[in-house]
Amino acid sequence: MCGRATAGVLSVLYKARSTRHGARMHPAPPLDSPAFPPPPDRALPQQTDVVVIGGGVVGVSAALILARWGVPVVLFEKGRVAGEQSSRNWGWIRAQGRDFREMELMLIARRHWQSWTAEVGGRTGLQVEGVIYLAEDDETMARYAKWVEDAAPYQLGSRVLSSAEADAHVGQDGRRFLGGIFTPSDMHAAPEVAVGALADHAAAAGADIFEHSAVRTLEQSGGRITGVVTEHGRIACQSVILAGGAWCRPFLENAGAGLAQLAVGSQALATGPAPAIAPGPVGTTRAAVRPRADGGYTVGRSGVARFDLIPAAFAQFRTFWPTVRARWRMLQLRLGPEFFGALGHRRWQPDQLSPFETARALDPTPDPRLIQDILTSAKETYPQLKGAAMRGAWGGMIDVTPDEVPVIGAVGGLTGLTVASGLSGHGFGLGPGVGQLAAELATGRTTSVDPAPFDPGRFRAGRVGSAAT
């Protein structure tokens, strides 16, 4: 599928949103528009307490929470709110199968998803319908069963499914699956509208949100951050939350700090209307599906990613090598134009055009062969999809860490900066929890969970750990 076709599919995700904090947001341009959108229709404030960089699910959640606490907060998004991975993901909000280091944050996130959805009149598309993982081999089944056993203290309601139960859950009776696991308390939402609805909610609570406004650099004095320089001017602040997804590493490198983070490309597709498979999302190794409000399905495949070789890949080779080795069969390595692209930049000045302005949205073109293979596998796995046509496909860029667990905390001696990134492909559901922890750290509050497992310095110290599934 060509890039322009991808842009056409994605354009439905970015309708003009309602007034935010007294100023109407500009209608979103197509993804292939010039990199120079019109300036904001209101002046930047001269100062605030907290600046949030990035309008994805983490940044918007942090801004909403800060505004609720009465903390003056300004959010800057270089493109459009949820213009990248926060609207391009599968929409799963799951505790099932999650690394246990993330579990307490996930429980916080689930509570936020439910309460905020009620407050915005259901505009997130949230549904509490459970998540099913199906196993087609003994190794997968054993791993799933072990996870359910270990998750018992969290009282999620997760349970192991027999072969007959697994088939019944997805409307089949051929004993195709050896079994599976099911967590009825898990959820899913519509990412194409959910984060935008939360951004409107944050603005109504007092957060000042600027789209098409890239932050170029940090300002420091006396060893701590005193403000940020945006493409439209400077704003003073006491602290900064960097929630820019795959953009965090180059931003920090320009500030003289490092971050163990790289980006991988992923893809998904949407089908037209099809009969029901299960009430909620269903996953197998070959194809995962989520029901959509339009009667179709979002379809993807776990563990398949394209990795573009850029200078940072060589600089961080040793840190990422254990992950690369474990995922070798799932990765597609490519040396292409991205080597000198936006994510390959490391240095620029406050008065220079930044990579955030020349590439407002990372919009990778999906691999048509892989997309077709995923759709074929989905139809073979779920007979309900046999007559469903593909409505569109899209790509996204996922920010990953060496242990596939987020980084949340201080980086590189930049006092006053809290980074919240590296959500590694499962951050849509976790985002509100990450946003809360980042907001707590940025304002010096007692944290709701122990932040140590998310310390960005853990890789340098050799405390990487391992994923749960």
Side-chain angles (χ1 to χ4, degrees), residues 93-241:
I93 301 173
R94 60 170 180 84
Q96 181 168 288
R98 193 168 287 277
D99 189 297
F100 292 113
R101 287 171 288 179
E102 301 174 344
M103 192 60 77
E104 291 183 5
L105 274 186
M106 187 62 227
L107 297 179
I108 291 170
R110 294 203 316 185
R111 292 194 292 270
H112 283 316
W113 275 114
Q114 290 182 296
S115 62
W116 292 346
T117 295
E119 292 164 9
V120 301
R123 289 192 295 131
T124 65
L126 185 73
Q127 300 292 330
V128 185
E129 296 178 320
V131 165
I132 300 169
Y133 286 172
L134 299 172
E136 297 181 86
D137 59 73
D138 291 329
E139 181 182 354
T140 302
M141 190 66 232
R143 180 160 46 90
Y144 288 169
K146 180 66 166 59
W147 186 90
V148 170
E149 178 183 348
D150 293 343
Y154 296 101
Q155 300 181 348
L156 303 171
S158 304
R159 63 188 182 90
V160 176
L161 303 177
S162 67
S163 177
E165 289 173 322
D167 280 357
H169 268 278
V170 292
Q172 300 186 34
D173 58 9
R175 298 294 178 97
R176 169 171 186 168
F177 304 106
L178 293 181
I181 56 175
F182 176 50
T183 302
S185 56
D186 276 348
M187 317 169 190
H188 63 100
E192 64 270 19
V193 296
V195 180
L198 297 184
D200 290 337
H201 201 38
D208 207 354
I209 298 178
F210 288 86
E211 293 181 311
H212 308 308
S213 301
V215 174
R216 290 176 174 172
T217 62
L218 304 169
E219 285 192 339
Q220 302 180 65
S221 177
R224 78 168 289 117
I225 290 170
T226 57
V228 301
V229 178
T230 80
E231 62 181 302
H232 303 304
R234 176 188 180 276
I235 176 172
C237 63
Q238 298 175 18
S239 61
V240 172
I241 295 174

Side-chain angles (χ1 to χ4, degrees), residues 70-423:
V71 176
V73 56
V74 179
L75 183 151
F76 291 107
E77 165 54 46
K78 67 186 183 331
R80 294 165 295 206
V81 164
E84 295 183 275
Q85 195 59 24
S86 285
S87 64
R88 300 169 185 234
N89 62 84
W90 297 356
W92 297 36
I93 301 173
R94 60 170 180 84
Q96 181 168 288
R98 193 168 287 277
D99 189 297
F100 292 113
R101 287 171 288 179
E102 301 174 344
M103 192 60 77
E104 291 183 5
L105 274 186
M106 187 62 227
L107 297 179
I108 291 170
R110 294 203 316 185
R111 292 194 292 270
H112 283 316
W113 275 114
Q114 290 182 296
S115 62
W116 292 346
T117 295
E119 292 164 9
V120 301
R123 289 192 295 131
T124 65
L126 185 73
Q127 300 292 330
V128 185
E129 296 178 320
V131 165
I132 300 169
Y133 286 172
L134 299 172
E136 297 181 86
D137 59 73
D138 291 329
E139 181 182 354
T140 302
M141 190 66 232
R143 180 160 46 90
Y144 288 169
K146 180 66 166 59
W147 186 90
V148 170
E149 178 183 348
D150 293 343
Y154 296 101
Q155 300 181 348
L156 303 171
S158 304
R159 63 188 182 90
V160 176
L161 303 177
S162 67
S163 177
E165 289 173 322
D167 280 357
H169 268 278
V170 292
Q172 300 186 34
D173 58 9
R175 298 294 178 97
R176 169 171 186 168
F177 304 106
L178 293 181
I181 56 175
F182 176 50
T183 302
S185 56
D186 276 348
M187 317 169 190
H188 63 100
E192 64 270 19
V193 296
V195 180
L198 297 184
D200 290 337
H201 201 38
D208 207 354
I209 298 178
F210 288 86
E211 293 181 311
H212 308 308
S213 301
V215 174
R216 290 176 174 172
T217 62
L218 304 169
E219 285 192 339
Q220 302 180 65
S221 177
R224 78 168 289 117
I225 290 170
T226 57
V228 301
V229 178
T230 80
E231 62 181 302
H232 303 304
R234 176 188 180 276
I235 176 172
C237 63
Q238 298 175 18
S239 61
V240 172
I241 295 174
L242 178 60
W247 296 97
C248 290
R249 178 195 50 75
F251 183 93
L252 289 169
E253 287 177 347
N254 186 58
L259 182 66
Q261 175 188 291
L262 293 173
V264 298
S266 66
Q267 47 217 311
L269 64 97
T271 75
I277 297 172
V282 183
T284 68
T285 55
R286 297 200 302 156
V289 298
R290 175 185 65 84
R292 300 164 58 94
D294 60 9
Y297 288 86
T298 294
V299 184
R301 179 181 291 167
S302 295
V304 176
R306 190 192 74 209
F307 181 56
D308 293 322
L309 295 174
I310 59 174
F314 298 96
Q316 300 197 29
F317 177 80
R318 179 173 296 181
T319 304
F320 273 86
W321 172 242
T323 304
V324 172
R325 183 173 56 190
R327 309 284 191 189
W328 185 256
R329 294 183 179 180
M330 304 175 184
L331 288 174
Q332 299 175 347
L333 301 183
R334 189 180 73 165
L335 181 61
E338 287 77 9
F339 190 88
F340 298 106
L343 294 181
H345 283 267
R346 299 187 64 187
R347 293 288 185 269
W348 57 90
Q349 297 299 316
D351 60 350
Q352 292 179 323
L353 197 68
S354 70
F356 318 119
E357 297 155 78
T358 58
R360 299 278 173 179
L362 296 171
D363 184 31
T365 302
D367 180 341
R369 290 179 297 180
L370 180 56
I371 285 291
Q372 186 57 53
D373 186 62
I374 293 172
L375 180 59
T376 299
S377 296
K379 291 184 175 183
E380 291 173 352
T381 305
Y382 314 105
Q384 297 92 331
L385 297 179
K386 284 192 179 298
M390 183 173 70
R391 180 164 286 178
W394 60 92
M397 294 299 291
I398 296 173
D399 46 314
V400 297
T401 63
D403 61 1
E404 301 177 336
V405 169
V407 286
I408 312 167
V411 173
L414 296 173
T415 304
L417 175 75
T418 299
V419 65
S421 185
L423 276 67

